[in-house]
Amino acid sequence: MSNSRQYWQSVEQLDNNEEFAAKNSDEFSEELPLDQFLEKQELSDSSTTRRDFLKFVGFSVTAATLAACETPVMKSIPYVIKPEEVTAGVANYYASAYYDGFDFAPILIKTREGRPIHIEGNKKYSMTQGGVNTRVNSSLLGLYDAARVRNPRIKGEDAKWSKVDKAVKASLGSAKKVRILSNSIISPSTQAAIDVFASKLGSEESPVDFKHVTYDESSSSGIVTANKNTFGKAVVPHYLFRKANIIVSFGADFLSTWLNSSQYATGYGMHRSPEEGKMSRHYQFEANFSLTGTNADIRGAVKPNEIGLAVIDLYNAVAKATGNASVKGGKLDDDNDVANKINSAAKDLVANKGKSLVVSGSNDVATQELVNGINQMIGSYGKTINIDTPLNIRKANDVDFMDLVKEMKSGSVDTLFVYGVNPVYSAPASLDFAGALAKVETSVSFSGVADETGSVTTILAPDNHYFENWNDFIPVDGAAFIAQPVIRPLFSKSKTQQGTRQAQESILRFVKVKTSFYDFMRENWNTTILPLQKDYSTFDELWNNTVHDGFIHYTPAPVAQTLEAIIPTSASASASAVVKNSKATGIVAELYTETNMGIGNQANNPWLQELPNVITKVTWDNYVAMNPADCRENGYNTNYGQHLPASLVNVTVGGSTVKLPVISTPGQRVGTVSISLGYGRTKAGKVVEQGDMLAADGVTKTVGANLFGAVSTKGGNFNYYVDNVIIELAEEKEYPIGLAQTHFTEMDRKIVNETSLSTFIKGKNVYNPDPTVVDAYGITQKVEKLDLWAAQDIANGHRWGMTIDLSKCIGCNACVTSCHAENNVPVVGKDEVRRNRIMSWLRVDRYFSSDMSMTDPGETGKIAMYKQMEAPSVYPEAVHQPVMCQQCNHAPCETVCPVAATTHSNEGLNQMTYNRCIGTRYCANNCPYKVRRFNWFNYVGDSKFTDVNPAVNDLARMVLNPDVVVRARGVMEKCSFCVQRIQSGKLDAKKEGRPVADGEVVSACSSVCPTSAIQFGDLNDSETKVKEVSEDERSYHLLEEVGTQPNVFYLTKVRNIDGERIPVGLGHGTHGDHEDHAEEAHGEDAHASESDSHSEEHAGH
Amino acid sequence: MVKEAEVREPLILGKDVTYHSITEDVCRPIEGKAGKLWWLLFSVAVVLAIWGTGMILYTIGRGIGVWGLNNTIDWAWDITNFVWWVGIGHAGTLISAVLLLFRQKWRMAINRSAEAMTIFAVIMAALFPGIHMGRIWLAYFVFPIPNQFGSLWVNFNSPLLWDVFAISTYFSVSFVFWYIGLIPDFATIRDRAKGPIAKKVYSMLSFGWTGNAMAWIRFEEVSLVLAGLATPLVFSVHSIVSMDFATSVIPGWHTTIFPPYFVAGAVFSGFAMVQTLLLVIRKVLHYEKYITIQHIEMMNRIITVTGSIVGVAYLSELFISWYSGVEYEGYAFLNRATGPYWWAYFIMMTANVVSPQLFWFKKLRTSLTFSFFLSIIVNIGMWFERFVIIVTSLHRDYIPSNWSMFHPTFVDIGIYLGTIGIFFTLFLGFTRFFPVLALNELKSILKSSGEAYRGKDTGH
């Protein structure tokens, strides 16, 4: 067919005669009727009058102004080709795992449109049951950390990866001594990569001296060495708290920071409810009041240096009962009946042989040897302690690190790689790691930010965030976890930046292995894991299912079994070492890792910085924790918070002096102090620069002070207590402190209903009576029966509710950070915290017990009684209580809002309509629980929050949950029961045409709770767990007598102690302590007076 | 004409007071130049007003966070000032309406300025619910107006909404009442005005008043009707304001005694403020003839009576908190008196309960200096009463973990002083452009109660 087809517009064009051609040469073939238009008489005559002109100008200006006023519209670009798994508005969950050398947790990462926005626990893994702690939970924000470096650096200057590779290869080519310094590697593939690296170094003629040195910033080297001495195995054993009826802990904060705490917390929580008499009993002996200590049934305060002596006492008591030889102990300085508590513990341990567990957080080898001895005598090995499949976390030996520093100092180390640790910050000052590092010719840090170490190494080869990496972990032999990337590296190679690169890949590249770590890992799994498991026959099946599930169980290769029941022969030697080591002079300071900040690797995370300390509720600082008795004696301020400053002191620990505020911490062993590690970071990012403290250089502002330097290296292990501490009032005298809760005690009110196990057995009417009212006719009725209000229609459809088991709740704060991430809760900074304006929708209240009680005020007058009640005991008990919006069915907030911005839903939710809110704050005033939070400022726009609130920073904004609006200035907000999750759960069920199943809708707080203390679900569905728990005899409403009829139920806390503990009326109090075997009659009296006071109260209304 | 009994003290002093001299005396400040003292006071007031306005704009620009409020104490100085000003705004209408109904002639010398004070105080009061809103630009949400949201309506359960109605009604009626009374006096000023502008302005303000008998009859009728309308409002406004607290669940707020107790307190503080202003006016404008010691004494008596009612209310609250046996209630009041805010409670008790009792001494209640001093004390005391009720109830309520303290910021203080500045700017303006005494009404009692006419009629 011919290709010369022509198209024509008209016959003229086809003809193409002259006339047409002439006409067509112009753009417009016909003349425009311009004249006609211009000649129009009216138009040419028209003249714009001044009035008209002004009208037009006015209109244009107004129009332009109005247009300018419009909210800027930001258009998002839709996918041209939508990835199969991404549906706008629908979240995807990926199984992964977290490990940072301190914590391990199997997790589930929630992504929306490709952005990770929330971390939950992997519920499939039975050892944690979906629990994650607050540090793991908050690590999400690290992905969007503006401090992450986007280019590798050579000598501090941005460089290309190729240059970095060249430089490292050159260094390796000539190096004689190469060292890798890392935290405990629990990743088999990373270990394999390091092995490959080692194998490729040097050559036949010039061998390279290579060593992989493990260094844990929070060391448990004492346990490793003790086990080596006792069993010949240098391991950290695998502790099974879930199997322990009796738990005795000597300074091990196993619920929050000790070893594999996430798993311990879950196991511990399983036996903390008293139902069916299966409740465990927990003894804690420690110096500082730890989170674990607050949960203990019986706690003894012991000086940190005398923990070993307490262990000896227990050893002897157990030895006596089991017919073993006792050892020679020392004299314990006992001011709170520790001796009796130890005896009681010994009795319980012996009675529960094989079902008990003794642990110690001490890093002293001899102490740990004795602990091993006790565990042997009570038959823990093989039952509650598994030494044959040890824990791979924190298994480093401190001596290795000390030796490395020595080598470095001598200048013999040519090339050093630092992975996963920050020794310039965290190494004891006595070792002078920074000085030693300067002598290493080529040092490479894989840190993702230019931290204290990464900024002084010659090369910084930034690692990806763990969300961007493939990785695998075996924390305990028997289960292998895969961490999968959930987002493309945020800082990948582009025109403007070099991007980050996974450290394992860098390690392989440095020795010219070009495979990606993904392929390397697959290959490794193919050869190692595949043969050990039986579930899958092909590798692809194994891989795909493991990536999907996040982990796989396998049968580890058999190891030599440890002989059981070797009664220690060296116990006497250990004991004499302990006694020798326990000598200390002056004030002893314990250096501990704190629940929120841990080892400080997430210091640039404002969520964690603003998270109140679990005991003292201090935010944005570390401090000297001192018993109030000591504070008063030394004249330090015990009444601080908001505008009242704390006392500022100079603390001289191990030769160096830091400035820190003194926080009065009841329960701290008198005569000792505790200071948390993990603070005082200087090079973590903008957030730590917000601090009020000055770093050692006197210029850099930091949050808190770094005490890692003060850790002593006495005896070849890092020692986390120091004696001869000098504390003097600093010249400034005062320091502003941000406290999230300024009041210590419960004031004998029924806020946390608490009882003892022996009282619990007597029945609900004794420990948890329903509040009653005497009505106008003199008839005693339950509170909920008498009501002025029309009932809310909540009997039909869903009625969302929550139960919180205070017996299980360990107060770990995980729910708080989970809520922050889920609901875009703003961070407000220390200054605003000091003004009592922390924005958390969910707070964990902490109350200490007081010596003064309403039932037993003695001769004290009422005014003095209340005053004394405000002060906690020297060694109090403590309780935690998560409080969020109680979603009252008769909500006081709803009636008072003039514009009906807060209303009740027909599903029992007390909902908040931000658009309608005008911010009168009446609702907040009228809330008996004070859970409403007002947007005092524009937290996104106001310059005051630039460096603290993630929502201000463009990068960190990506963490915001798109399902939850960022609230405007001037509106009230509060817990919504995660209404967005409820809606999405309902939608899913609706799409599938079925009712919402139990467990399908889970609030953010409930989803991460390690002990399953928080249950969420539909109260109108008789099948749900929440319904079952809410009908438990222990359940009560907070402030039930106010008549708010909440949808949140609390379950009475039960302590496993002997003796009566009867909650007394409105002011239930903890009358007497647990040793006080109150008489039956006394209890009944108290009960009677309680119902009296109820009647009177309501008659008074 | 009804003649006053001889034994009664004359209400208008001076043998030389004539109808003309009353007109002259009242018009003098309007027609003449302001004195140095006036300018001094006015400058101070304007400076404070500007400062306060700046603080208000700062609050609106930046957010309520610039105040000292927090998660626990969501109202403090804002609502304290609001209630304080509303309370002050009670005296004017009470004096003009209630005393009119009771035919108390002594009100005539003081009602005009008292009413003006009411108007200005209510304006100051109305400012606070506005600016204390998080989003003042949406303040119109509180009015039940049709809107594009369909059936979205205001919440008639909310006492804050009742406030909106109560205060707007009270303000409207008070304003009309005040203005009606002003019309004949404006006409007098109009008739005397020399400048063209003044003439025009006062003509407009006087609504073409002719002063004929019919007009006077209507004037009297309207006054009586308005007095009838205004009287219940005097009691309703503060009752409703008190319900902001009384209907809540917060111990220390949830109290049935509040409505009568708040009304008594309002009259108490209002009279104290009237007293303060009268004593100043009397001195500055030389109105000793019209505002006599007798007036001052009458006012002091009312202050003593209402102060005592307030005192009884305080004690009843304390008694009930103990008698009820409610733990939270008992603690709330114990904490008021002995807790961290004991000093505020102490100021309140001393200033409101103890100090007015000094007026049992005739020497003190007829002393101008002492009356002035005490009126200030009472105003301070009443401010602290509201502060005590609001802040001490909130700062330690049900759950001890929430317990908190309130610390005012410079903005809180600035706005409070600012409203005092605005109030006095308005009031001082009033003294320059408005007849401060109800001159035509005063004339009506000159013959019956004026000292000048006493002798003439009896012939002695």
Side-chain angles (χ1 to χ4, degrees), chain A residues 452-687:
Chain A
E452 289 80 350
T453 309
S455 58
V456 293
T457 49
T458 51
I459 290 169
L460 176 64
D463 191 0
N464 292 337
H465 186 260
Y466 77 99
F467 277 12
E468 304 161 337
N469 278 345
W470 282 101
N471 216 336
D472 55 358
F473 305 110
I474 300 182
V476 178
D477 273 344
F481 295 80
I482 287 185
Q484 60 174 319
V486 290
I487 190 170
R488 219 183 103 199
L490 277 181
F491 308 119
S492 48
K493 195 167 175 150
S494 74
K495 273 181 191 159
T496 51
Q497 67 192 21
Q498 284 287 305
T500 54
R501 189 171 75 184
Q502 184 168 7
Q504 288 90 331
E505 219 156 288
S506 295
I507 288 174
L508 291 173
R509 291 277 177 94
F510 293 153
V511 287
K512 298 174 193 159
V513 178
K514 283 277 162 67
T515 47
S516 71
F517 185 66
Y518 173 65
D519 294 331
F520 185 87
M521 195 172 133
R522 276 174 66 97
E523 185 49 40
N524 189 42
W525 273 62
N526 197 2
T527 52
T528 56
I529 308 288
L530 185 61
L532 293 175
Q533 55 81 43
K534 292 190 195 78
D535 297 350
Y536 308 108
S537 49
T538 69
F539 175 72
D540 281 338
E541 249 187 298
L542 162 74
W543 181 261
N544 290 340
N545 282 297
T546 311
V547 169
H548 175 269
D549 294 347
F551 66 97
I552 183 169
H553 288 293
Y554 65 91
T555 321
V559 290
Q561 296 293 303
T562 310
L563 290 173
E564 267 181 49
I566 318 165
I567 295 302
T569 48
S570 60
S572 299
S574 307
S576 63
V578 165
V579 174
K580 201 174 131 236
N581 287 345
S582 72
K583 293 204 170 56
T585 48
I587 301 174
V588 186
E590 175 161 21
L591 309 171
Y592 67 103
T593 43
E594 190 249 356
T595 311
N596 301 337
M597 204 46 69
I599 46 172
N601 53 352
Q602 293 194 59
N604 202 39
N605 189 328
W607 285 347
L608 287 175
Q609 291 286 10
E610 191 154 302
L611 195 59
N613 176 283
V614 287
I615 314 296
T616 56
K617 297 291 158 192
V618 171
T619 63
W620 292 98
D621 267 308
N622 67 339
Y623 49 83
V624 178
M626 188 184 274
N627 194 293
D630 283 344
C631 289
R632 280 190 287 272
E633 191 172 309
N634 290 301
Y636 299 136
N637 193 359
T638 54
N639 180 23
Y640 45 77
Q642 286 193 277
H643 283 233
L644 296 171
S647 301
L648 188 70
V649 291
N650 285 320
V651 192
T652 309
V653 205
S656 62
T657 303
V658 290
K659 270 199 176 75
L660 281 172
V662 175
I663 296 298
S664 118
T665 312
Q668 172 74 35
R669 176 63 168 80
V670 172
T672 69
V673 296
S674 296
I675 311 172
S676 81
L677 301 166
Y679 283 83
R681 289 285 306 273
T682 49
K683 289 191 173 135
K686 286 274 181 212
V687 172

Side-chain angles (χ1 to χ4, degrees), chain A residues 160-178:
Chain A
K160 290 194 167 160
W161 276 110
S162 53
K163 285 245 172 87
V164 168
D165 290 345
K166 219 170 120 190
V168 177
K169 279 176 200 161
S171 155
L172 288 176
S174 61
K176 292 272 180 300
K177 224 179 207 181
V178 177

Side-chain angles (χ1 to χ4, degrees), chain A residues 212-493:
Chain A
H212 174 195
V213 177
T214 337
Y215 158 62
D216 285 321
E217 290 169 312
S218 175
S219 161
S220 50
S221 169
I223 297 178
V224 175
T225 316
N227 283 322
K228 194 179 166 203
N229 296 347
T230 318
F231 302 107
K233 287 190 170 179
V235 293
V236 178
H238 181 42
Y239 296 103
L240 296 159
F241 282 84
R242 65 178 61 197
K243 293 192 175 170
N245 280 359
I246 306 295
I247 297 162
V248 181
S249 161
F250 291 93
D253 191 4
F254 60 83
L255 292 178
S256 79
T257 60
W258 189 66
L259 301 176
N260 200 5
S261 54
S262 300
Q263 213 172 81
Y264 303 156
T266 306
Y268 177 82
M270 286 177 178
H271 305 297
R272 292 307 288 169
S273 291
E275 277 76 21
E276 299 158 36
K278 272 187 182 169
M279 194 178 177
S280 65
R281 180 176 282 188
H282 171 196
Y283 292 86
Q284 182 87 3
F285 301 97
E286 59 184 9
N288 75 318
F289 210 176
S290 71
L291 181 69
T292 310
T294 60
N295 284 290
D297 298 306
I298 294 154
R299 176 180 181 272
V302 179
K303 288 185 171 175
N305 53 309
E306 294 184 353
I307 287 284
L309 298 182
V311 171
I312 293 178
D313 287 353
L314 181 66
Y315 182 95
N316 285 337
V318 172
K320 201 174 153 200
T322 54
N324 287 301
S326 61
V327 293
K328 197 169 174 292
K331 171 113 184 53
L332 192 71
D333 182 5
D334 183 1
D335 68 348
N336 58 110
D337 206 18
V338 173
N340 265 332
K341 292 168 187 168
I342 288 177
N343 282 334
S344 157
K347 222 189 296 166
D348 284 336
L349 287 174
V350 174
N352 287 275
K353 260 192 174 180
K355 285 178 284 181
S356 305
L357 177 59
V358 181
V359 293
S360 169
S362 168
N363 214 19
D364 175 52
V365 179
T367 305
Q368 292 291 356
E369 283 167 357
L370 288 169
V371 170
N372 287 353
I374 299 171
N375 277 320
Q376 281 173 323
M377 290 189 283
I378 58 170
S380 305
Y381 287 100
K383 300 279 178 22
T384 54
I385 304 177
N386 194 341
I387 198 148
D388 296 323
T389 50
L391 181 71
N392 295 325
I393 300 168
R394 297 196 226 168
K395 58 186 176 192
N397 198 329
D398 299 340
V399 180
D400 295 347
F401 177 70
M402 295 178 202
D403 290 346
L404 172 72
V405 179
K406 262 181 228 148
E407 278 184 322
M408 286 161 65
K409 266 190 192 147
S410 70
S412 64
V413 177
D414 301 302
T415 314
L416 174 77
F417 297 89
V418 184
Y419 172 62
V421 286
N422 185 6
V424 173
Y425 163 74
S426 65
S430 56
L431 297 177
D432 187 25
F433 185 85
L437 186 65
K439 297 209 171 139
V440 178
E441 193 187 307
T442 309
S443 51
V444 183
S445 165
F446 294 110
S447 171
V449 293
D451 58 12
E452 289 80 350
T453 309
S455 58
V456 293
T457 49
T458 51
I459 290 169
L460 176 64
D463 191 0
N464 292 337
H465 186 260
Y466 77 99
F467 277 12
E468 304 161 337
N469 278 345
W470 282 101
N471 216 336
D472 55 358
F473 305 110
I474 300 182
V476 178
D477 273 344
F481 295 80
I482 287 185
Q484 60 174 319
V486 290
I487 190 170
R488 219 183 103 199
L490 277 181
F491 308 119
S492 48
K493 195 167 175 150

Side-chain angles (χ1 to χ4, degrees), chain A residues 1019-1094:
Chain A
L1019 291 170
N1020 278 353
D1021 181 347
S1022 56
E1023 302 294 303
T1024 56
K1025 174 92 176 148
V1026 72
K1027 174 74 178 169
E1028 184 199 325
V1029 179
S1030 71
E1031 285 169 352
D1032 192 285
E1033 287 200 335
R1034 285 192 288 136
S1035 116
Y1036 71 99
H1037 287 305
L1038 189 53
L1039 303 178
E1040 190 160 351
E1041 57 280 4
V1042 182
T1044 51
Q1045 302 193 358
N1047 282 327
V1048 177
F1049 297 78
Y1050 288 91
L1051 265 65
T1052 307
K1053 182 178 176 71
V1054 180
R1055 264 185 217 275
N1056 190 352
I1057 47 175
D1058 305 325
E1060 288 285 356
R1061 182 169 298 181
I1062 293 171
V1064 182
L1066 285 174
H1068 74 105
T1070 50
H1071 80 89
D1073 61 20
H1074 46 84
E1075 263 84 29
D1076 174 24
H1077 291 263
E1079 286 169 27
E1080 188 71 37
H1082 179 54
E1084 272 177 8
D1085 278 351
H1087 177 47
S1089 74
E1090 177 244 11
S1091 50
D1092 282 350
S1093 71
H1094 274 297

Side-chain angles (χ1 to χ4, degrees), chain A residues 823-835:
Chain A
N823 292 303
N824 304 335
V825 174
V827 178
V828 294
K830 180 175 165 185
D831 186 54
E832 288 290 294
V833 175
R834 288 186 62 221
R835 292 166 198 273

Side-chain angles (χ1 to χ4, degrees), chain B residues 191-219:
Chain B
D191 296 343
R192 290 165 54 96
K194 295 195 178 72
I197 299 170
K199 196 151 198 108
K200 201 165 181 180
V201 169
Y202 285 110
S203 308
M204 269 160 55
L205 289 175
S206 58
F207 285 176
W209 175 266
T210 57
N212 62 23
M214 206 55 221
W216 275 111
I217 289 167
R218 285 173 183 148
F219 176 85

Side-chain angles (χ1 to χ4, degrees), chain A residues 749 837 845 866 896 922, chain B residues 60 67 158 244 327 397 401:
Chain A
R749 296 176 174 188
R837 290 178 186 161
D845 289 343
Y866 278 122
V896 298
Y922 196 176
Chain B
I60 295 171
W67 296 357
S158 169
D244 285 350
E327 175 56 32
D397 64 348
S401 75

